[in-house]
Amino acid sequence: MAQGCENWWRDGIFYQIYPRSFQDSDGDGVGDLAGIHRRLPYVKSLGVNAIWLSPIFASPMADFGYDISDYTGIDPLFGTMEDFDALLAAAHDNGLKLILDLVPNHTSDRHPWFVESRSSRDNPKRDWYIWRDPGADGSEPNNWLSEFGGSAWAYDETTGQYYYHAFLAQQPDLNWRNPEVRAAIYDVMRFWLEKGVDGFRVDVIWHLIKDAEFRDNPPNPHYVEGRPPNEKILTQYSTDQPEVHDVIAEMRHLTNAYDARVLIGEIYLPLHRLMAYYGNDLTGAQMPFNFALLSTFWSARSIEKIVEDYEKALPKGAWPNWVLGNHDRPRVASRVGPEQARVAAMLLLTLRGTPTLYYGDEIGMHQVAIAPDDVRDPFEKNVPGIGVGRDGCRTPMQWDSSPAGGFSGTRPWLPLPEDHIHENVANFEADARSILNLYRRLIALRKACPPLVSGDYVPISAQGDLLLYRRQFEGKAVIVALNLGPEPIAVTTSAIRFGSEILISTFLDREGERLEGVLDLRGNEGVLVVPPH
Ligand code: NOJ
Ligand code: MG
C-alpha cells in the first residue's frame, strides 16, 4: 500500500458487516461467524481492505449485541472463540483487516459487574455504574432522557436508588470517572489486540463522560413535533463533556502500543464538536466517524457545502472519512433513490478520506418494510410508529433468488423484500453494468489512482444539480462530475480540457470516451474524467 502499513486505514476502504444479517451457517436464521468466514471471498472480491463487525460478544440481545454480558466471550448465537480465531486468521490471510465493535459506555444489566453493583449500596462495584438517590418526591434524579424513549433513569427496588441508562434499561451506563472501570475496559481492549484485531469502532464514544453534577439538560428550542421524544431536551450535560478526551487519549495510547491499529469513534455531533475527537495534537481517534452524508438533503449544493465545511474544519494533519450508511440509519438507496444510489457510490469513493461501506449498499439494498409482527428493534418497540425502527436497514444480505436469499436455509430473523429475487449478488455478478460491478470498478480505480486516495480535494464552481471537484496529487488529477438530478446537464468548464478522457461513468458504458470540450451528463449520471496526457 502506498503509505506503508501504519497508515493502512488512510488508504483503505472499510466494510461494515452486521453479523446477524450477513450469512447464517447453522440454520438458525441468524447470521454467524462461520457464515462471514464462508463469504470472505466475496468481501475480498469487492476490493475493500478492512471489515468492521458489529458486536459478536456474549449478550442477552436486548439491543442485539450492544448489551454485552461478557466482553471477551463470543455469543453462542454467533459461534465460538475458535470460529472467531479462524475468521481472524482467514481475514488476515486474505489481506483484510478486522475491526471489532467496542461498547464501553454501557454493559448489559446481566453483566456480572452490574449484577454485583446492584446487589447492595456498599458492593465494591457499586461505583462502577451511575447510581443516584431519588428526588425528594421519589422522582428521577434529573431530566435526562433515554435515546430509546422515556427517562434515562431506572429505579432499583433493592437498594432504593436509580441507575442511569442512556439507551435501554437493560444497558446500564458504566461510570467512566471510576479508574477501575477504565482499567477493566482497557484489559478488554488488550485481550483483543493481543489476538491481533486491527482496531475498534468505539460505540457512542461521545457519551462516555457525564456532567459531574448531573445538572438538568436544557430544553431543545428546535424540537420538531413527530421526532423522537428524547430530542425534546438537548444533551448538553449528559454527553460530550471535556474530560471524555482524556479517556480517548488513554485508549489511543493503549492502541499505539501495538502496531498499526486504528480507533474509530462513533460520534453524532455538530462539526466543530466532532473535530475535537481527533484529540489534542491528534492524540484522539484516528477516525471520528463523519456522518454528515447520512442526514444531508440530497442536492449538489448541500453536499458541496458539507464537504467544504468538513474540509475546512479538519485540524491540521487530521485524516477525513465518509460514511453513507450504517445499521442505525435508513439505507442510502431509499434515502436518495435507486438512480442516485450509483451517484452516491461515486461520491463516497472519490471524496478525500477513508470511505466506510455498509454491507448490502453495494447491491443497492433498500429499506425493507417491516410488518408490525416482525418488528425486532427495541427502539421501534419503545417509540412505535414514527419511523425510528432500524430493522429495515438490518435485513439479511441478498445473495441469490432463493426464498431466504441464500442467507439461510430457514426463515431469517428479519424478512427479505420480495424483490430480492431480482436484486441479489448472484444476478448482479452476472450483469456487467450492475451497481455491484460499479462498486467494484470504483474501488479498483480508487486503489490504482493516487489522486483519489491521497490527492487534495479542489472544488470547481458549478450550478444547479451539478457537483464538480478535482482530486489532485503530484501533478496528476481526476475530475469528478456528478449529476444529482434527473435532467441531462451539458458541462462546460475550463477544468475539462479538449481531449480529456472518461475513466468511468456510473452507467458503466462510457469508459475511454474522448471529450471534445463539452461533457454531456445524462440524468443521474456521474463520471470521472482524466485530462489528456
Ligand atoms: C450505537 C449503536 O450503533 C446502536 O446500534 C446501539 O443501539 C447504541 N449505540 C447503543 O449501544
Ligand atoms: Mg446462525
Side-chain angles (χ1 to χ4, degrees):
M1 248 178 235
Q3 298 190 31
C5 108
E6 275 296 318
N7 282 330
W8 62 268
W9 51 271
R10 289 180 168 235
D11 301 353
I13 297 171
F14 286 71
Y15 184 75
Q16 179 190 356
I17 291 180
Y18 194 67
R20 293 182 71 89
S21 297
F22 203 57
Q23 179 64 56
D24 177 21
S25 74
D26 60 357
D28 63 356
V30 179
D32 43 53
L33 293 174
I36 296 170
H37 193 152
R38 196 187 119 200
R39 294 295 188 179
L40 279 185
Y42 169 79
V43 177
K44 191 176 174 182
S45 80
L46 297 174
V48 300
N49 311 72
I51 298 172
W52 150 36
L53 293 182
S54 284
I56 50 171
F57 317 104
S59 164
M61 301 290 166
D63 190 21
F64 298 115
Y66 284 96
D67 50 320
I68 297 172
S69 52
D70 177 4
Y71 283 100
T72 54
I74 302 292
D75 196 279
L77 193 65
F78 296 126
T80 62
M81 192 58 89
E82 287 68 44
D83 294 330
F84 176 78
D85 291 340
L87 173 63
L88 178 61
H92 284 169
D93 286 348
N94 280 285
L96 292 163
K97 305 279 185 182
L98 192 68
I99 305 293
L100 293 184
D101 214 309
L102 181 73
V103 188
N105 180 68
H106 43 268
T107 68
S108 160
D109 61 342
R110 313 254 195 95
H111 194 295
W113 299 341
F114 188 70
V115 173
E116 275 194 52
S117 183
R118 83 187 309 174
S119 65
S120 76
R121 287 200 188 200
D122 52 14
N123 183 277
K125 292 214 167 51
R126 185 66 170 181
D127 186 53
W128 280 40
Y129 293 83
I130 298 172
W131 292 98
R132 309 290 289 172
D133 285 330
D137 56 353
S139 60
E140 289 82 10
N142 67 21
N143 71 349
W144 296 2
L145 297 176
S146 157
E147 298 237 346
F148 291 157
S151 169
W153 297 96
Y155 186 67
D156 186 61
E157 297 280 345
T158 323
T159 55
Q161 283 189 313
Y162 283 91
Y163 66 86
Y164 175 69
H165 57 91
F167 297 91
L168 299 175
Q170 297 97 315
Q171 292 169 296
D173 278 46
L174 282 163
N175 175 14
W176 272 83
R177 293 183 186 270
N178 182 320
E180 291 175 16
V181 166
R182 297 187 186 197
I185 296 290
Y186 298 161
D187 280 346
V188 170
M189 293 173 73
R190 285 191 202 94
F191 174 88
W192 294 108
L193 292 168
E194 298 287 339
K195 272 193 178 285
V197 309
D198 300 288
F200 302 101
R201 171 269 190 188
V202 187
D203 190 63
V204 295
I205 202 168
W206 84 108
H207 273 257
L208 291 181
I209 299 276
K210 303 44 161 144
D211 179 44
E213 295 168 40
F214 292 91
R215 281 169 279 188
D216 271 350
N217 276 326
N220 175 5
H222 305 296
Y223 175 73
V224 178
E225 218 40 66
R227 295 281 308 161
N230 66 302
E231 292 182 10
K232 285 184 183 156
I233 62 164
L234 300 173
T235 56
Q236 183 173 336
Y237 293 114
S238 48
T239 69
D240 193 31
Q241 300 301 295
E243 301 93 323
V244 75
H245 299 295
D246 303 334
V247 173
I248 301 171
E250 287 178 5
M251 290 180 167
R252 176 68 184 280
H253 183 71
L254 189 159
T255 57
N256 275 355
Y258 298 80
D259 272 354
R261 314 296 163 103
V262 67
L263 266 189
I264 304 173
E266 187 207 17
I267 302 145
Y268 287 92
L269 283 176
L271 195 54
H272 68 288
R273 310 290 313 177
L274 171 66
M275 290 302 161
Y277 285 74
Y278 282 103
N280 269 337
D281 298 326
L282 306 184
T283 52
Q286 287 113 316
M287 284 178 39
F289 261 149
N290 166 17
F291 292 141
L293 292 177
L294 288 179
S295 48
T296 177
F297 179 64
W298 200 254
S299 81
R301 300 288 71 80
S302 327
I303 295 170
E304 183 178 61
K305 171 112 175 55
I306 280 175
V307 181
E308 186 189 326
D309 291 350
Y310 180 73
E311 284 276 351
K312 268 201 200 131
L314 282 169
K316 194 165 183 303
W319 185 249
N321 74 83
W322 295 95
V323 178
L324 268 187
N326 65 32
H327 64 293
D328 293 325
R329 295 296 164 118
R331 286 271 180 191
V332 60
S334 297
R335 283 190 282 117
V336 308
E339 291 87 7
Q340 281 293 316
R342 299 174 77 107
V343 175
M346 185 171 272
L347 175 73
L348 178 71
L349 291 160
T350 58
L351 282 173
R352 192 175 78 93
T354 303
T356 300
L357 273 56
Y358 182 50
Y359 86 96
D361 281 351
E362 76 278 16
I363 55 168
M365 273 172 63
H366 57 78
Q367 198 66 3
V368 176
I370 307 290
D373 283 351
D374 290 335
V375 170
R376 308 293 295 269
D377 180 15
F379 192 7
E380 175 67 25
K381 287 184 180 173
N382 284 0
V383 186
I386 61 165
V388 296
R390 301 171 295 175
D391 292 325
C393 68
R394 297 175 173 180
T395 54
M397 182 68 178
Q398 296 161 201
W399 297 105
D400 62 35
S401 37
S402 64
F407 162 74
S408 175
T410 187
R411 187 164 183 248
W413 77 289
L414 283 173
L416 286 97
E418 271 171 28
D419 60 13
H420 90 268
I421 60 168
H422 308 295
E423 317 267 305
N424 60 58
V425 172
N427 281 352
F428 288 167
E429 299 254 359
D431 171 358
R433 292 183 184 167
S434 65
I435 184 165
L436 173 59
N437 284 317
L438 171 64
Y439 263 95
R440 286 188 171 133
R441 286 284 297 131
L442 285 169
I443 291 171
L445 270 173
R446 181 181 173 97
K447 285 165 75 174
C449 180
L452 289 179
V453 178
S454 311
D456 292 339
Y457 167 85
V458 187
I460 303 173
S461 129
Q463 274 81 47
D465 285 331
L466 180 63
L467 181 60
L468 206 56
Y469 51 93
R470 184 190 296 120
R471 300 292 313 283
Q472 196 163 286
F473 184 71
E474 291 179 350
K476 292 214 162 94
V478 176
I479 289 165
V480 184
L482 304 174
N483 184 352
L484 281 271
E487 301 302 328
I489 301 177
V491 186
T492 47
T493 161
S494 55
I496 297 179
R497 305 210 318 263
F498 191 89
S500 292
E501 186 185 322
I502 293 187
L503 267 185
I504 183 174
S505 151
T506 48
F507 292 110
L508 293 173
D509 58 358
R510 293 177 78 175
E511 195 170 325
E513 185 181 314
R514 295 252 165 226
L515 299 175
E516 295 172 7
V518 181
L519 164 61
D520 284 311
L521 283 181
R522 289 164 284 181
N524 303 309
E525 181 178 31
V527 300
L528 301 189
V529 175
V530 280
H533 303 300

